[in-house]
Coordinates of all heavy atoms in Angstrom, one line a residue:
M1 N 14.6 54.9 47.1 CA 14.7 55.7 48.3 C 13.4 56.3 48.7 O 12.5 56.6 47.8 CB 15.7 56.8 47.9 CG 15.7 57.9 49.0 SD 17.2 58.9 49.0 CE 18.5 57.7 49.5
L2 N 13.1 56.4 50.0 CA 11.9 57.0 50.5 C 11.9 58.5 50.2 O 12.9 59.2 50.2 CB 11.7 56.8 52.0 CG 11.6 55.3 52.4 CD1 11.6 55.2 54.0 CD2 10.3 54.8 51.9
A3 N 10.7 59.0 50.0 CA 10.5 60.4 49.7 C 9.4 60.9 50.6 O 8.5 60.2 50.9 CB 10.2 60.7 48.3
H4 N 9.5 62.2 51.0 CA 8.5 62.8 51.9 C 7.8 63.9 51.0 O 8.4 64.6 50.3 CB 9.1 63.5 53.1 CG 9.8 62.5 54.0 ND1 9.0 61.7 54.9 CD2 11.0 62.2 54.3 CE1 9.8 61.0 55.6 NE2 11.0 61.2 55.3
D5 N 6.5 64.0 51.1 CA 5.7 65.0 50.4 C 5.7 66.3 51.2 O 5.6 66.3 52.4 CB 4.3 64.6 50.2 CG 4.1 63.4 49.2 OD1 5.1 63.1 48.4 OD2 3.0 62.9 49.1
H6 N 5.9 67.4 50.5 CA 5.8 68.7 51.0 C 4.9 69.6 50.1 O 5.0 69.5 48.9 CB 7.2 69.3 51.1 CG 8.2 68.6 51.9 ND1 8.4 68.7 53.2 CD2 9.2 67.7 51.5 CE1 9.4 67.9 53.6 NE2 9.9 67.3 52.6
R7 N 4.1 70.4 50.7 CA 3.4 71.4 50.0 C 4.3 72.6 49.9 O 4.6 73.2 50.9 CB 2.0 71.7 50.7 CG 1.1 72.4 49.8 CD 0.5 71.6 48.6 NE -0.3 72.3 47.8 CZ -0.6 72.1 46.6 NH1 0.0 71.1 46.0 NH2 -1.4 72.9 46.0
I8 N 4.7 73.1 48.7 CA 5.6 74.1 48.5 C 5.1 75.2 47.6 O 4.5 75.0 46.6 CB 6.9 73.5 47.8 CG1 7.4 72.2 48.5 CG2 8.0 74.5 47.6 CD1 8.6 72.2 49.2
E9 N 5.4 76.5 48.1 CA 5.1 77.7 47.2 C 6.4 77.9 46.4 O 7.5 78.0 47.1 CB 4.8 78.8 48.2 CG 3.4 78.7 48.9 CD 3.1 79.9 49.7 OE1 3.9 80.8 49.7 OE2 2.0 79.8 50.3
L10 N 6.3 78.0 45.2 CA 7.4 78.1 44.3 C 7.3 79.3 43.4 O 6.3 79.8 43.1 CB 7.5 76.9 43.4 CG 7.6 75.6 43.9 CD1 7.1 74.5 43.0 CD2 9.0 75.3 44.3
S11 N 8.5 79.9 43.2 CA 8.7 80.8 42.0 C 9.7 80.2 41.1 O 10.8 79.9 41.6 CB 9.2 82.2 42.5 OG 8.2 82.8 43.3
V12 N 9.4 80.0 39.9 CA 10.3 79.3 38.9 C 10.3 80.1 37.5 O 9.4 80.8 37.3 CB 9.8 77.8 38.7 CG1 9.9 77.0 40.0 CG2 8.5 77.7 38.0
R13 N 11.3 79.8 36.8 CA 11.5 80.4 35.5 C 11.3 79.2 34.5 O 12.1 78.2 34.5 CB 12.9 80.9 35.4 CG 13.1 81.8 34.1 CD 14.5 82.3 34.0 NE 15.4 81.2 33.7 CZ 16.5 80.9 34.2 NH1 17.0 81.7 35.1 NH2 17.3 79.9 33.8
V14 N 10.2 79.3 33.7 CA 9.9 78.3 32.7 C 10.2 78.9 31.3 O 9.8 79.9 30.9 CB 8.4 78.0 32.8 CG1 8.1 77.0 31.7 CG2 8.0 77.5 34.2
P15 N 11.1 78.2 30.5 CA 11.4 78.7 29.2 C 10.2 78.7 28.3 O 9.3 77.9 28.3 CB 12.4 77.5 28.7 CG 12.8 76.8 29.9 CD 11.8 76.9 30.9
R16 N 10.1 79.8 27.5 CA 8.9 80.0 26.7 C 8.8 78.8 25.6 O 7.7 78.5 25.2 CB 9.0 81.3 25.9 CG 8.5 82.4 26.8 CD 8.4 83.7 25.8 NE 8.0 84.9 26.6 CZ 6.8 85.3 26.4 NH1 5.9 84.7 25.5 NH2 6.3 86.3 27.1
G17 N 9.9 78.2 25.3 CA 9.9 77.2 24.2 C 9.6 75.9 24.7 O 9.5 74.9 24.0
A18 N 9.3 75.7 26.0 CA 9.0 74.4 26.6 C 7.7 73.9 26.0 O 6.7 74.6 25.9 CB 8.8 74.5 28.1
A19 N 7.6 72.6 25.7 CA 6.4 72.0 25.2 C 5.4 71.9 26.3 O 5.7 71.7 27.4 CB 6.8 70.6 24.6
G20 N 4.1 72.0 25.9 CA 3.1 71.7 26.9 C 2.5 73.0 27.5 O 2.7 74.1 27.0
D21 N 1.8 72.9 28.6 CA 1.2 74.0 29.3 C 2.2 74.6 30.4 O 3.2 74.0 30.6 CB -0.1 73.6 29.8 CG -0.1 72.5 30.7 OD1 0.9 72.1 31.2 OD2 -1.2 71.9 31.1
V22 N 1.7 75.7 31.0 CA 2.5 76.2 32.0 C 2.7 75.3 33.3 O 3.8 75.2 33.8 CB 1.9 77.6 32.5 CG1 2.7 78.3 33.6 CG2 1.8 78.5 31.2
E23 N 1.6 74.7 33.6 CA 1.7 73.7 34.8 C 2.7 72.7 34.5 O 3.5 72.3 35.4 CB 0.4 73.1 35.2 CG -0.7 74.0 35.7 CD -1.6 74.6 34.6 OE1 -1.3 74.5 33.4 OE2 -2.6 75.2 35.0
G24 N 2.7 72.2 33.3 CA 3.7 71.1 32.9 C 5.1 71.7 32.9 O 6.1 71.0 33.3
G25 N 5.3 73.0 32.5 CA 6.6 73.6 32.6 C 7.1 73.7 34.0 O 8.3 73.5 34.2
V26 N 6.2 74.1 34.9 CA 6.7 74.1 36.3 C 7.0 72.8 36.8 O 8.1 72.6 37.4 CB 5.4 74.7 37.2 CG1 5.8 74.6 38.7 CG2 5.2 76.2 36.8
R27 N 6.2 71.8 36.5 CA 6.5 70.4 36.9 C 7.9 70.1 36.4 O 8.7 69.4 37.1 CB 5.4 69.5 36.4 CG 5.5 68.1 36.9 CD 4.4 67.2 36.5 NE 3.1 67.6 37.1 CZ 2.1 68.3 36.5 NH1 2.2 68.5 35.2 NH2 1.0 68.6 37.2
E28 N 8.1 70.2 35.1 CA 9.4 69.8 34.4 C 10.6 70.5 35.1 O 11.6 69.9 35.4 CB 9.3 70.2 33.0 CG 10.6 69.7 32.2 CD 10.5 69.9 30.7 OE1 9.4 70.0 30.2 OE2 11.5 70.2 30.1
V29 N 10.6 71.8 35.4 CA 11.7 72.5 36.0 C 11.9 72.0 37.4 O 13.1 71.7 37.8 CB 11.3 74.0 36.1 CG1 12.3 74.7 37.1 CG2 11.4 74.7 34.8
V30 N 10.9 71.7 38.2 CA 11.1 71.3 39.6 C 11.6 69.8 39.6 O 12.4 69.4 40.4 CB 9.9 71.4 40.4 CG1 10.0 70.9 41.8 CG2 9.5 72.9 40.5
E31 N 11.0 68.9 38.7 CA 11.4 67.5 38.6 C 12.9 67.3 38.2 O 13.5 66.3 38.6 CB 10.5 66.7 37.7 CG 9.1 66.5 38.2 CD 8.3 65.8 37.2 OE1 8.5 65.8 36.0 OE2 7.2 65.2 37.7
K32 N 13.5 68.4 37.6 CA 14.9 68.2 37.2 C 15.8 68.5 38.4 O 17.0 68.2 38.2 CB 15.2 69.1 36.1 CG 14.6 68.7 34.7 CD 15.0 69.6 33.6 CE 14.4 69.1 32.3 NZ 14.7 70.1 31.2
V33 N 15.4 69.0 39.5 CA 16.2 69.2 40.6 C 16.6 67.8 41.3 O 15.6 67.0 41.5 CB 15.5 70.1 41.7 CG1 16.4 70.2 43.0 CG2 15.1 71.4 41.1
D34 N 17.9 67.6 41.5 CA 18.3 66.4 42.2 C 17.5 66.2 43.5 O 17.3 67.1 44.2 CB 19.8 66.4 42.4 CG 20.6 66.2 41.2 OD1 20.1 65.8 40.2 OD2 21.8 66.6 41.2
G35 N 17.2 64.9 43.7 CA 16.4 64.6 45.0 C 14.9 64.8 44.9 O 14.3 64.4 45.9
V36 N 14.4 65.3 43.8 CA 13.0 65.4 43.6 C 12.4 64.0 43.0 O 12.9 63.7 41.9 CB 12.5 66.6 42.9 CG1 11.0 66.6 42.5 CG2 12.9 67.9 43.5
A37 N 11.5 63.4 43.8 CA 11.0 62.2 43.2 C 9.8 62.4 42.3 O 9.7 61.7 41.3 CB 10.6 61.3 44.4
R38 N 9.0 63.4 42.6 CA 7.8 63.7 41.7 C 7.2 65.0 42.2 O 7.4 65.5 43.3 CB 6.7 62.5 41.8 CG 6.0 62.4 43.1 CD 4.9 61.3 43.2 NE 4.4 61.2 44.4 CZ 5.0 60.8 45.6 NH1 6.3 60.3 45.5 NH2 4.4 60.7 46.8
V39 N 6.4 65.5 41.2 CA 5.7 66.9 41.5 C 4.3 66.7 41.1 O 4.0 66.2 40.0 CB 6.4 68.0 40.7 CG1 5.6 69.3 40.9 CG2 7.8 68.1 41.0
E40 N 3.4 67.0 42.0 CA 1.9 66.8 41.7 C 1.1 68.0 42.1 O 1.6 68.8 42.9 CB 1.4 65.6 42.5 CG 2.1 64.3 42.2 CD 1.7 63.1 43.1 OE1 1.3 63.4 44.2 OE2 1.8 62.0 42.6
N41 N -0.1 68.1 41.7 CA -1.1 69.1 42.1 C -0.5 70.6 42.0 O -0.5 71.3 42.9 CB -1.5 68.8 43.6 CG -2.0 67.5 43.8 OD1 -2.8 67.0 43.0 ND2 -1.6 66.8 44.9
V42 N -0.1 70.9 40.8 CA 0.5 72.2 40.5 C -0.7 73.2 40.4 O -1.6 73.0 39.6 CB 1.4 72.2 39.3 CG1 1.8 73.6 38.9 CG2 2.5 71.3 39.4
E43 N -0.7 74.3 41.2 CA -1.7 75.3 41.2 C -0.9 76.6 40.8 O -0.1 77.0 41.6 CB -2.5 75.4 42.4 CG -3.2 74.2 42.8 CD -3.8 74.3 44.2 OE1 -3.9 75.4 44.7 OE2 -4.1 73.2 44.8
L44 N -1.3 77.3 39.7 CA -0.7 78.5 39.4 C -1.3 79.6 40.1 O -2.5 79.7 40.4 CB -1.0 78.8 37.8 CG -0.4 77.8 36.8 CD1 -0.8 78.2 35.4 CD2 1.1 77.6 37.0
C45 N -0.4 80.6 40.6 CA -0.7 81.7 41.4 C -0.5 83.0 40.6 O -1.1 84.0 40.9 CB 0.0 81.7 42.7 SG -0.3 80.3 43.7
G46 N 0.4 82.9 39.7 CA 0.7 84.1 38.9 C 1.7 83.8 37.8 O 2.6 82.9 38.0
V47 N 1.6 84.5 36.6 CA 2.6 84.3 35.5 C 3.0 85.7 35.0 O 2.2 86.6 34.8 CB 1.9 83.5 34.4 CG1 2.8 83.4 33.2 CG2 1.4 82.2 34.8
R48 N 4.3 85.9 34.9 CA 4.8 87.1 34.4 C 5.8 86.8 33.3 O 6.9 86.2 33.4 CB 5.7 87.9 35.5 CG 4.8 88.3 36.7 CD 5.6 88.8 37.9 NE 6.8 88.0 38.3 CZ 6.6 86.9 39.1 NH1 5.5 86.4 39.4 NH2 7.7 86.3 39.4
P49 N 5.4 87.2 32.0 CA 6.2 86.9 30.9 C 7.3 87.9 30.7 O 7.2 89.1 31.1 CB 5.2 86.9 29.7 CG 4.1 87.8 30.2 CD 4.1 87.7 31.7
D50 N 8.4 87.4 30.2 CA 9.5 88.4 29.6 C 9.9 87.8 28.2 O 9.2 86.9 27.7 CB 10.6 88.6 30.6 CG 11.6 87.5 30.6 OD1 11.5 86.4 30.0 OD2 12.7 87.7 31.3
A51 N 10.9 88.4 27.7 CA 11.2 88.0 26.3 C 11.5 86.5 26.1 O 11.2 86.0 25.0 CB 12.5 88.8 25.9
L52 N 12.2 85.9 27.0 CA 12.6 84.5 26.8 C 11.9 83.5 27.7 O 11.9 82.3 27.4 CB 14.1 84.4 27.0 CG 15.0 85.2 26.1 CD1 16.5 85.1 26.5 CD2 14.7 84.9 24.6
D53 N 11.4 83.9 28.9 CA 10.9 83.0 29.9 C 9.6 83.5 30.4 O 9.2 84.6 30.2 CB 11.9 82.8 31.0 CG 13.2 82.4 30.6 OD1 13.3 81.4 29.9 OD2 14.3 82.9 31.1
L54 N 8.9 82.5 31.1 CA 7.7 82.9 32.0 C 8.2 82.7 33.4 O 8.8 81.7 33.8 CB 6.6 81.9 31.7 CG 6.1 81.9 30.3 CD1 5.0 80.8 30.1 CD2 5.5 83.2 29.9
Y55 N 8.0 83.8 34.2 CA 8.2 83.7 35.7 C 6.9 83.3 36.3 O 5.9 84.0 36.2 CB 8.8 85.1 36.2 CG 10.2 85.2 35.7 CD1 10.4 85.8 34.4 CD2 11.2 84.9 36.4 CE1 11.7 86.0 33.9 CE2 12.6 85.0 35.9 CZ 12.7 85.6 34.7 OH 14.0 85.7 34.2
V56 N 6.9 82.2 37.0 CA 5.7 81.6 37.4 C 5.7 81.4 39.0 O 6.6 80.9 39.5 CB 5.4 80.2 36.7 CG1 4.1 79.6 37.2 CG2 5.4 80.4 35.2
D57 N 4.6 81.9 39.6 CA 4.5 81.6 41.0 C 3.4 80.5 41.1 O 2.3 80.5 40.4 CB 3.9 82.8 41.8 CG 4.9 84.0 41.8 OD1 6.1 83.7 41.8 OD2 4.4 85.1 41.6
A58 N 3.7 79.4 41.8 CA 2.8 78.3 41.9 C 2.9 77.6 43.3 O 3.9 77.8 44.0 CB 3.2 77.3 40.8
T59 N 1.9 76.8 43.5 CA 1.9 75.9 44.7 C 1.9 74.5 44.1 O 1.1 74.2 43.3 CB 0.8 76.2 45.7 OG1 0.8 77.6 46.0 CG2 0.8 75.4 46.9
A60 N 2.7 73.6 44.7 CA 2.7 72.2 44.3 C 3.0 71.3 45.5 O 3.7 71.6 46.4 CB 3.7 72.0 43.1
T61 N 2.7 70.0 45.3 CA 3.1 69.0 46.2 C 4.4 68.3 45.6 O 4.3 67.9 44.5 CB 2.0 67.9 46.4 OG1 0.8 68.5 46.9 CG2 2.4 66.8 47.3
V62 N 5.4 68.4 46.3 CA 6.7 67.9 45.8 C 7.2 66.8 46.8 O 7.4 67.0 48.0 CB 7.8 69.1 45.8 CG1 9.1 68.6 45.3 CG2 7.2 70.2 45.0
A63 N 7.5 65.7 46.2 CA 8.0 64.5 47.0 C 9.6 64.7 46.8 O 10.1 64.6 45.8 CB 7.6 63.2 46.4
I64 N 10.3 64.8 48.0 CA 11.7 65.0 48.1 C 12.3 63.9 48.8 O 11.7 63.5 49.8 CB 12.0 66.4 48.7 CG1 11.3 67.5 47.9 CG2 13.6 66.6 48.8 CD1 11.5 68.9 48.6
D65 N 13.5 63.3 48.3 CA 14.1 62.3 48.9 C 14.3 62.5 50.4 O 14.6 63.7 50.9 CB 15.4 62.1 48.3 CG 15.4 61.5 46.9 OD1 14.3 61.0 46.5 OD2 16.4 61.5 46.2
A66 N 14.1 61.5 51.3 CA 14.2 61.7 52.7 C 15.5 62.2 53.3 O 15.5 62.7 54.3 CB 13.8 60.3 53.4
D67 N 16.6 61.9 52.5 CA 17.9 62.3 53.1 C 18.2 63.8 52.8 O 19.2 64.3 53.2 CB 19.0 61.4 52.5 CG 19.1 61.6 51.0 OD1 18.1 62.0 50.3 OD2 20.2 61.2 50.4
V68 N 17.3 64.5 52.1 CA 17.4 66.0 51.9 C 17.0 66.7 53.2 O 15.9 66.6 53.6 CB 16.6 66.5 50.7 CG1 16.6 68.0 50.6 CG2 17.1 65.8 49.4
E69 N 17.9 67.4 53.8 CA 17.7 67.9 55.2 C 16.9 69.3 55.2 O 16.2 69.6 56.0 CB 19.0 68.1 55.9 CG 19.6 66.8 56.3 CD 20.9 66.9 57.0 OE1 21.2 68.0 57.6 OE2 21.6 66.0 57.1
A70 N 17.1 70.1 54.2 CA 16.5 71.4 54.1 C 15.8 71.6 52.7 O 16.4 72.1 51.8 CB 17.5 72.5 54.3
P71 N 14.6 71.1 52.6 CA 14.0 71.1 51.2 C 13.9 72.4 50.6 O 14.1 72.6 49.4 CB 12.5 70.6 51.6 CG 12.6 69.9 52.9 CD 13.8 70.6 53.6
E72 N 13.6 73.5 51.3 CA 13.5 74.9 50.7 C 14.8 75.3 50.1 O 14.8 75.7 48.9 CB 13.1 75.9 51.8 CG 11.7 75.7 52.3 CD 11.4 76.6 53.5 OE1 12.3 77.1 54.1 OE2 10.2 76.8 53.7
A73 N 15.9 75.1 50.8 CA 17.2 75.6 50.3 C 17.6 74.6 49.1 O 18.2 75.1 48.2 CB 18.2 75.6 51.5
H74 N 17.3 73.4 49.3 CA 17.7 72.4 48.3 C 17.0 72.7 46.9 O 17.6 72.8 45.9 CB 17.3 71.0 48.7 CG 17.8 69.9 47.7 ND1 19.1 69.5 47.6 CD2 17.1 69.2 46.8 CE1 19.2 68.6 46.7 NE2 18.0 68.4 46.2
L75 N 15.7 73.0 47.0 CA 15.0 73.4 45.8 C 15.5 74.6 45.2 O 15.6 74.8 44.0 CB 13.5 73.3 46.1 CG 12.8 72.1 46.2 CD1 11.3 72.3 46.7 CD2 12.7 71.3 44.9
A76 N 15.6 75.7 46.1 CA 16.1 77.0 45.6 C 17.4 77.0 44.9 O 17.8 77.9 44.1 CB 16.1 78.0 46.8
D77 N 18.3 75.9 45.1 CA 19.6 75.8 44.5 C 19.4 75.2 43.1 O 20.3 75.1 42.3 CB 20.5 74.9 45.4 CG 21.1 75.6 46.4 OD1 21.0 76.9 46.5 OD2 21.6 75.0 47.4
G78 N 18.2 74.6 42.7 CA 17.9 74.0 41.5 C 17.8 75.1 40.4 O 17.3 76.1 40.5
F79 N 18.3 74.7 39.2 CA 18.2 75.5 38.0 C 16.8 75.9 37.7 O 15.9 75.0 37.5 CB 18.9 74.8 36.8 CG 18.9 75.7 35.6 CD1 19.9 76.7 35.4 CD2 18.0 75.5 34.6 CE1 19.9 77.5 34.3 CE2 18.0 76.2 33.5 CZ 18.9 77.3 33.3
G80 N 16.6 77.1 37.5 CA 15.1 77.6 37.2 C 14.3 77.9 38.3 O 13.2 78.4 38.2
V81 N 14.7 77.4 39.6 CA 13.9 77.6 40.8 C 14.4 78.9 41.5 O 15.6 79.0 41.7 CB 13.9 76.5 41.8 CG1 13.1 76.8 43.0 CG2 13.4 75.2 41.1
I82 N 13.6 79.9 41.5 CA 14.0 81.2 42.1 C 13.7 81.2 43.6 O 14.7 81.7 44.4 CB 13.2 82.3 41.5 CG1 13.4 82.4 39.9 CG2 13.5 83.7 42.1 CD1 12.4 83.1 39.1
E83 N 12.7 80.7 44.1 CA 12.4 80.7 45.5 C 11.4 79.5 45.8 O 10.7 79.1 45.0 CB 11.6 81.9 45.9 CG 11.4 82.1 47.4 CD 10.8 83.5 47.6 OE1 10.7 84.4 46.8 OE2 10.3 83.7 48.8
A84 N 11.6 78.9 47.0 CA 10.8 77.8 47.4 C 10.5 77.9 48.9 O 11.4 78.2 49.7 CB 11.5 76.5 47.2
T85 N 9.2 77.8 49.3 CA 8.8 77.9 50.7 C 7.9 76.8 51.1 O 6.9 76.6 50.4 CB 8.1 79.3 51.0 OG1 8.9 80.3 50.6 CG2 7.8 79.4 52.4
V86 N 8.3 76.0 52.1 CA 7.3 74.9 52.5 C 6.2 75.6 53.3 O 6.4 76.4 54.2 CB 8.2 73.9 53.5 CG1 7.2 72.9 54.0 CG2 9.3 73.3 52.7
R87 N 5.0 75.1 53.0 CA 3.8 75.7 53.7 C 3.5 74.8 54.9 O 3.7 73.8 55.1 CB 2.6 75.6 52.7 CG 2.7 76.6 51.6 CD 1.7 76.6 50.6 NE 0.3 76.8 51.2 CZ -0.8 76.6 50.7 NH1 -0.8 76.1 49.4 NH2 -1.9 76.8 51.2

């Protein structure tokens, strides 16, 4: 399926126990959303820790399947994604 690249500002919840670095955690959370083909160029904008998770603000290039009509709403419905805004 064809995918379109979007530059997206994200707020996501990354589990503290996730393997790897924070950028990789953001990538993993977003890639698990149905319709996401790939996530690249993750740039961290802020990290707020709590007892179990890291709340991360980031900007990333997200390739989303072409049949997804509203990328922001679609991503925001994904587990761990708090907010998504197409730039």
Side-chain angles (χ1 to χ4, degrees):
M1 171 158 294
L2 292 175
H4 295 286
D5 287 350
H6 300 276
R7 194 68 181 155
I8 310 250
E9 292 179 1
L10 300 157
S11 292
V12 299
R13 190 181 74 225
V14 176
R16 279 187 177 256
D21 57 13
V22 177
E23 291 94 348
V26 170
R27 186 176 293 108
E28 184 176 328
V29 167
V30 177
E31 284 177 340
K32 288 183 179 180
V33 176
D34 287 340
V36 172
R38 70 183 176 286
V39 179
E40 300 174 336
N41 305 317
V42 176
E43 298 173 19
L44 299 179
C45 301
V47 178
R48 297 173 309 284
D50 80 353
L52 300 174
D53 300 313
L54 299 173
Y55 289 85
V56 182
D57 297 324
T59 303
T61 301
V62 181
I64 301 174
D65 292 344
D67 63 341
V68 173
E69 294 181 16
E72 293 173 339
H74 184 78
L75 285 171
D77 284 342
F79 182 78
V81 179
I82 300 165
E83 187 176 349
T85 305
V86 174
R87 291 177 57 194

